[in-house]
Amino acid sequence: MVRLAIDGMHCANCAANIEKHFRATPGVIDVAVNLANNTGQVTFDADEASVDDMLHVFDDLSFTAEVIPDDAPLVDEQRRAKEADRARHDRRVFACAAALTVLIVALGMVPGWHMGIGAALAGCFVAGPTHVQAMFCGSLVLLALTIPVQFGCGARFYKGAFQSLRSGSANMDVLVALGTSIAFIFSLYITFVPVITGNWSGHEAMQINEGMPYYETCAMLITFVLLGKMLETRAKGSTNQAIEALMNLTPPVAVVVRGGVQQEVPVSQVAVGDVVLVRPGDAVAVDGVVVEGSTEVDESMLTGEPLPVVKAVGDEVVGGTVNCTGSVTVRARRVGADTTLARIVRAVEDAQGSKAPVQRLADRIAAVFVPAILGIAVVVFLIWFFAVPASDDAARWQQALLPAVAVIVVACPCALGLATPTALMVGMGRGAQVGLLIKDGQVLEQLCGLAAAVFDKTGTLTRGMPAVTACDVSDEALALAAAAELKSEHPLARAVCAYAEQRGVAFHNYEVHQFQSIVGEGVRAVVEGHEVFVGSRVTIDGRDVGGFTFADEPKPDAAEAIAQLRGADVSCYLVTGDAQASAVAVAREVGIPVEHVCAGVRPEGKARQVERVRETVRQARADAGKRASDVTAFVGDGINDAPALAAADIGVVMASGTDVAIDAGQVVLMRNKLTDLFVALRLSKRTMRKIKQNLFWALIYNCIMIPLAAVGILAPALAGAAMAFSSVSVVCNSLLLKRFK
C-alpha cells in the first residue's frame, strides 16, 4: 500500500475521477481517496505494479501527488506550511474580490449611482448625454471592475474546469466557471448591442427597464464561492485537530546521556539503546524502560485515566506521556515511527482515510452529478425560452438564461463529497482522544448494528491473575508463608504476597534460607528458623495452619459493561478454555446468561464458536421480529485470540499489550476498560447519525434549491451564496462530534 498527498481536489467528482483512473490501472487492488484531508491510499500488487506506476496515474489528470513515507504522518510540517501559504493566498484573493464586489453592487444596484457615474463619464466625451449613453458608460465602469473578479480572482475555477474536462470528467469548477461565464457574456451582450447596432434610441426602453447588465451577479457568484471554499478549508482543517494534538505530544528534542555527558538532540536522532533523561514536567520522547529513579507519569493521552501512574526501575514508559514529579533516566526501546504513540496516530490516520459503506451512495450520485445538472439547466433554459411569453427577444434571452445560470450555480457536489469523510475524521479522532482506536470506516459503521459480543475470560472479563478470595491463616503464619512465596515467580505466589500486603502483614525483612520450588505442589523454605511449606495448604514446622482459596476475579467494570451492552440489545457470550465451573461462576458474577457460556474451548475452536454465535443470534433476532443484524464482535486480549478475532465481524482487543493489540484488533480499548466497548458503540451511532444527517442535508439541499432556481425564485447571486455555504454547513455539522463524551 502507498499513501499519497494529493493537491488540486475541489469536490467529490475530483476524488471519484482519481479513483476511476486508479481502478483502470493494472495491478491496483483497492483505492480510497479522501476529499476531507486531500489524501489517497492505494493498495496494489507489487508483482504487477510499482509506486512509480501509481504516481504516473496523475500524468493524465489535473492533480498532483507525492508519496507520504511510511514513517511520516499524513499532515507533516511541510504540508502544514504549504496549506498555510495556500490559506493566506486564498484570504488575499477573497479580500480583493469582496472589495471589488461591494463597489460593483453599490454602483449597479443603488438607485441613481449607475446612471450618475455613467452620465459623468459620458459627459467627458459628448455634451448632454442621453440615458442610453449614460447607461453604456456606467456599464463600462462595472465591466472594468468585474473583469479582475471574473478572470483574476476566479481564475482558479477556469483552470480547474479546463483541467477537469481535459481529464474526461466534470467537477464543481465546471459548474462555477460555466454559470459565471454565461452571466458575464449575457452582460456583455446587454452592454454592447446598442453600440454595435448604432440604434441608441431604439434600445433605450430595453436598456432602462429590462436590459440592465448583471455584472454584480458575476462578481457576487465568484465572491460567495470563494468565501465558501475558504470557510470550508478552515473547517476541514479542524477535522484533523485530534490527530495533530496527538502528534504534538512528542517533544521536539530529548536529553540524551552519551559518554556521561547530557546533550539535547532532535527526537529523530535518538536511537534504540540510548539513555534519555526525563525531567519533571517533560514529555517522554521514546518508548523505553526506567533504568534509574522513580516518578509519577501522566498517561492520560494513552489511557484516558487522569491519575498519574507510579514508575520505578524496570517499569515501561510510553512516548508522549508526561513526567509529573521526579527525574528518571529511560533506556530507549522504540523510537520514531515504532513508538506506541506513532503507531496509534498512523492507525487513526489510516482509518480516517478509509471509506464507510454508506459513502457508496454519495459516490454513485457524484459520478453523474455534474452532467445531470447541466442537462437540467438546458431543459430549464428551453422551457423558459420557448414556453414563457416575453416582451421581446432580449427579454426572452434574459428570462431563460438567468434561471439556467441559477440552476448551474446552486448545485453543489462538494457537500456530498464531504458528508462522510469529515464525520469519519472527527469521530475517529475524537475516539482516539477518549481511548478508543477504531481502525476502519467499515468497522465504525458495522458497530452500529452490533448484535452479539463474544468475550474471552482470562485477561478480558477477569483480571488475568489469581487472587486470594478466602484465607483461614493467622497473621503470624501468613507472614512466614508470604516471605517464602516472595522468592517464587508463580502467579499463586504473587497472589499470596499481594494478599498479605493487603492485610497489612509485614514480611519483606524476614530471613529466608533453603528455598525450594516443587513443581505442581508449592514452595518449601526455612523462614526465620521455621520450616515452611506453602501450597493450597500451609504447614509450619510440619503443623497444618490453614489454607487459601484462589480465584481469577472479574474486572471491576465487567458487570457494568455487560449490563450496558444487554441494555442496548446486544447479546453477550463467554467462550473460554477454562473449566465449565470456573466459566459459569464468572458468567454469573458479570451477568452473562449461563446458557451463553462455552468452556473448555481451545484457541482454534473459538473461531468456530464465534461463527456459531453469529448464526444463533441471526436466527433469534429473526424469530423475535427484531431488526435483521448478525454483526458479531469478539473481545479478547489480542495475543492468543487471533483466530477468533479474525472470524468475528469486529475484533475488539484490550490494550494490555499495546503494541500487540494495535496490530491484532480492529477496535482497541486503550484504557483496558470493558465499559469502553459501549462507549465505542455510542461513538459509532453518533458518527453514523452525523453522516446520515450530512447526506440528507446534501441531497435535500439540491432537491430544494435546484427547483427553486429553475422556476426563477432563486436569483443567481443568492444561488451562489447558497452553494458556497452548503458544504460549510456539512463540515460544521461533523465538527459537532468533538463534543462527544
Side-chain angles (χ1 to χ4, degrees):
M1 187 187 77
V2 63
R3 300 187 299 166
L4 301 172
I6 304 173
D7 280 335
M9 292 193 297
H10 298 144
C11 69
N13 296 73
C14 299
N17 189 29
I18 295 173
E19 290 183 348
K20 180 182 72 174
H21 280 75
F22 267 111
R23 291 194 175 98
T25 302
V28 171
I29 300 172
D30 191 25
V31 58
V33 176
N34 191 329
L35 175 65
N37 61 4
N38 298 318
T39 62
Q41 296 181 7
V42 186
T43 304
F44 60 92
D45 187 341
D47 294 332
E48 297 184 35
S50 65
V51 173
D52 288 339
D53 294 331
M54 301 303 103
L55 292 175
H56 285 317
V57 171
F58 292 89
D59 293 345
D60 299 326
L61 296 172
S62 58
F63 316 99
T64 59
E66 59 184 15
V67 175
I68 302 174
D70 289 339
D71 59 350
L74 290 178
V75 185
D76 57 17
E77 293 298 330
Q78 185 175 0
R79 289 195 68 200
R80 282 197 189 98
K82 185 184 296 184
E83 291 173 359
D85 290 341
R86 186 182 296 120
R88 284 192 291 270
H89 175 266
D90 290 347
R91 287 195 295 270
R92 288 194 295 268
V93 171
F94 168 72
C96 178
L100 290 173
T101 298
V102 169
L103 189 56
I104 293 168
V105 171
L107 294 178
M109 302 185 70
V110 176
W113 284 25
H114 179 256
M115 289 294 295
I117 194 171
L121 183 60
C124 297
F125 302 98
V126 295
T130 65
H131 284 290
V132 174
Q133 291 169 338
M135 290 189 68
F136 172 70
C137 291
S139 297
L140 289 181
V141 173
L142 294 177
L143 173 61
L145 294 172
T146 303
I147 287 175
V149 179
Q150 183 79 25
F151 301 105
C153 301
R156 59 177 286 183
F157 302 115
Y158 285 97
K159 179 181 178 181
F162 172 75
Q163 292 175 337
S164 176
L165 293 173
R166 188 184 66 177
S167 64
S169 66
N171 62 3
M172 184 206 74
D173 290 335
V174 173
L175 297 179
V176 175
L178 183 61
T180 56
S181 295
I182 291 174
F184 185 80
I185 292 171
F186 179 70
S187 298
L188 288 179
Y189 167 80
I190 293 296
T191 300
F192 286 102
V193 163
V195 178
I196 295 173
T197 61
N199 188 8
W200 289 61
S201 58
H203 284 74
E204 184 164 348
M206 179 194 73
Q207 287 283 332
I208 293 174
N209 297 317
E210 299 173 339
M212 289 288 290
Y214 283 85
Y215 294 118
E216 70 280 353
T217 297
C218 305
M220 290 172 69
L221 283 174
I222 295 290
T223 301
F224 278 133
V225 175
L226 287 174
L227 174 61
K229 298 305 290 183
M230 186 176 68
L231 295 176
E232 175 190 316
T233 300
R234 179 178 298 181
K236 282 165 60 179
S238 298
T239 63
N240 255 331
Q241 286 180 350
I243 290 299
E244 293 183 5
L246 288 175
M247 291 168 55
N248 292 333
L249 291 173
T250 302
V253 297
V255 179
V256 178
V257 182
R258 292 173 177 167
V261 179
Q262 298 179 9
Q263 52 183 305
E264 284 194 355
V265 300
V267 170
S268 58
Q269 296 180 14
V270 179
V272 174
D274 278 344
V275 175
V276 180
L277 175 64
V278 187
R279 301 186 182 97
D282 289 348
V284 181
V286 296
D287 289 1
V289 61
V290 177
V291 294
E292 184 179 347
S294 62
T295 186
E296 292 182 325
V297 175
D298 178 2
E299 296 184 336
S300 58
M301 52 71 59
L302 183 68
T303 66
E305 292 293 342
L307 296 178
V309 180
V310 175
K311 298 290 183 180
V313 174
D315 291 334
E316 292 190 355
V317 292
V318 178
T321 56
V322 178
N323 183 20
C324 298
T325 52
S327 293
V328 291
T329 53
V330 176
R331 188 174 302 280
R333 287 187 173 178
R334 290 186 292 269
V335 299
D338 293 330
T339 63
T340 298
L341 179 61
R343 296 174 70 190
I344 290 173
V345 170
R346 173 66 183 276
V348 177
E349 287 177 333
D350 289 344
Q352 289 179 333
S354 64
K355 285 190 175 183
V358 71
Q359 191 170 349
R360 294 171 186 160
L361 171 64
D363 291 343
R364 288 196 296 268
I365 296 174
V368 297
F369 189 89
V370 174
I373 292 303
L374 294 179
I376 292 172
V378 170
V379 172
V380 168
F381 173 83
L382 294 175
I383 292 174
W384 278 94
F385 191 86
F386 292 106
V388 180
S391 58
D392 53 35
D393 288 343
R396 188 182 304 278
W397 277 95
Q398 179 174 333
Q399 73 178 15
L401 279 173
L402 292 182
V405 169
V407 167
I408 292 173
V409 173
V410 80
C412 183
C414 296
L416 279 171
L418 292 169
T420 299
T422 54
L424 284 179
M425 289 178 67
V426 180
M428 290 178 170
R430 182 59 186 149
Q433 287 181 316
V434 299
L436 296 172
L437 187 54
I438 301 173
K439 296 164 62 176
D440 188 78
Q442 181 173 343
V443 172
L444 190 73
E445 183 171 342
Q446 283 182 309
L447 266 172
C448 285
L450 185 63
V454 182
F455 291 87
D456 175 42
K457 184 179 79 71
T458 306
T460 302
L461 283 176
T462 65
R463 296 178 183 271
M465 60 183 71
V468 176
T469 57
C471 171
D472 57 358
V473 179
S474 68
D475 285 354
E476 289 184 23
L478 179 60
L480 296 174
E485 293 281 34
L486 193 59
K487 287 185 173 291
S488 174
E489 294 297 325
H490 195 280
L492 295 181
R494 291 197 294 268
V496 170
C497 294
Y499 176 74
E501 290 176 346
Q502 290 174 2
R503 273 180 50 171
V505 174
F507 61 90
H508 288 277
N509 295 327
Y510 281 19
E511 291 187 3
V512 180
H513 303 285
Q514 301 177 27
F515 174 82
Q516 182 183 9
S517 178
I518 305 172
V519 177
E521 295 185 23
V523 300
R524 189 183 303 278
V526 175
V527 183
E528 294 291 313
H530 298 280
E531 291 187 3
V532 178
F533 174 80
V534 186
S536 58
R537 305 290 297 177
V538 180
T539 64
I540 298 176
D541 296 328
R543 182 170 54 90
D544 189 330
V545 296
F548 302 99
T549 301
F550 299 93
D552 187 4
E553 294 182 330
K555 291 181 177 178
D557 65 335
E560 181 184 358
I562 300 300
Q564 289 174 336
L565 292 172
R566 294 184 68 181
D569 199 23
V570 177
S571 301
C572 296
Y573 291 77
L574 173 59
V575 176
T576 179
D578 284 356
Q580 180 75 15
S582 175
V584 168
V586 170
R588 283 175 172 159
E589 284 192 70
V590 301
I592 294 178
V594 174
E595 61 271 20
H596 287 182
V597 175
C598 186
V601 181
R602 297 178 61 85
E604 60 271 18
K606 290 183 179 180
R608 292 191 294 272
Q609 292 300 322
V610 169
E611 295 170 357
R612 183 185 64 81
V613 167
R614 183 187 293 114
E615 293 299 324
T616 300
V617 170
R618 176 193 291 133
Q619 187 60 48
R621 295 181 75 89
D623 294 343
K626 295 181 179 179
R627 178 174 56 89
S629 176
D630 60 354
V631 176
T632 302
F634 181 83
V635 188
D637 57 19
I639 298 173
N640 61 351
D641 294 321
L645 290 168
D649 300 299
I650 303 171
V652 182
V653 295
M654 314 299 289
S656 306
T658 305
D659 52 346
V660 177
I662 291 174
D663 294 331
Q666 296 162 302
V667 178
V668 183
L669 308 183
M670 301 301 296
R671 301 194 300 173
N672 286 310
K673 285 190 172 183
L674 284 168
T675 49
D676 280 351
L677 179 56
F678 182 66
V679 176
L681 180 62
R682 287 179 48 239
L683 177 63
S684 166
K685 291 183 176 180
R686 185 79 60 86
T687 303
M688 293 308 301
R689 190 182 307 133
K690 285 298 178 188
I691 290 175
K692 291 174 182 178
Q693 288 173 358
N694 289 346
L695 289 173
F696 172 79
W697 165 247
L699 292 171
I700 203 67
Y701 159 83
N702 286 292
C703 290
I704 292 175
M705 293 300 177
I706 291 173
L708 290 178
V711 299
I713 295 176
L714 198 64
L718 293 178
M723 187 275 281
F725 287 101
S726 62
S727 56
V728 177
S729 65
V730 165
V731 179
C732 290
N733 187 46
S734 296
L735 290 174
L736 293 177
L737 283 169
K738 287 185 175 183
R739 300 178 181 179
F740 175 83
K741 296 182 180 179

